[in-house]
Amino acid sequence: MASFSLSDLEATIRERARSGDVESWTARLFAKGMDKAAQKLGEEAVETVIAAVKGDTKGVISESADLLYHWLVVLAIAGVSLDDVLAELERRTGQSGVAEKASRSQPG
């Protein structure tokens, strides 16, 4: 299998977002803005959950690919890089999940 990463997909999304190509779903999503991109992300998340609950392995794979793509589009529109998210995940690995969640629940 060829090596393909989320970083590769992120780079492709950045390229296509600027292309102005009317045939590019990515360019269309960027043109429609965050509301549409976030809506699509939510739809794909629900479809992934439904496939998982049904035990539909092929569906989980397909919907997860859609979910990751739309997640990266939302990140790009928000001006957040995959590296930003990975750095946050790396930071969190130094503590238990319970402790990390509790630290986010503190009243501000």
Side-chain angles (χ1 to χ4, degrees):
M1 180 166 126
S3 178
F4 183 76
S5 70
L6 288 178
S7 295
D8 295 331
L9 181 56
E10 180 182 46
T12 300
I13 288 168
R14 277 194 312 264
E15 268 179 40
R16 292 184 182 166
R18 295 186 303 259
S19 73
D21 182 356
V22 296
E23 297 297 316
S24 167
W25 176 244
T26 303
R28 288 181 183 185
L29 273 177
F30 271 78
K32 291 180 181 182
M34 182 59 84
D35 288 349
K36 182 63 174 180
Q39 174 192 347
K40 290 300 297 176
L41 175 62
E43 289 171 8
E44 299 303 343
V46 170
E47 291 170 3
T48 302
V49 169
I50 290 168
V53 169
K54 288 182 175 179
D56 176 4
T57 302
K58 287 183 181 180
V60 170
I61 293 167
S62 176
E63 297 301 341
S64 293
D66 292 345
L67 176 62
L68 289 172
Y69 162 79
H70 286 92
W71 172 64
L72 287 172
V73 168
V74 166
L75 288 182
I77 292 172
V80 175
S81 73
L82 177 59
D83 284 343
D84 294 335
V85 176
L86 293 175
E88 175 62 13
L89 287 171
E90 183 178 29
R91 182 192 68 77
R92 291 181 185 187
T93 61
Q95 58 185 317
S96 78
V98 173
E100 190 283 325
K101 187 162 179 75
S103 73
R104 288 187 283 144
S105 325
Q106 301 297 322

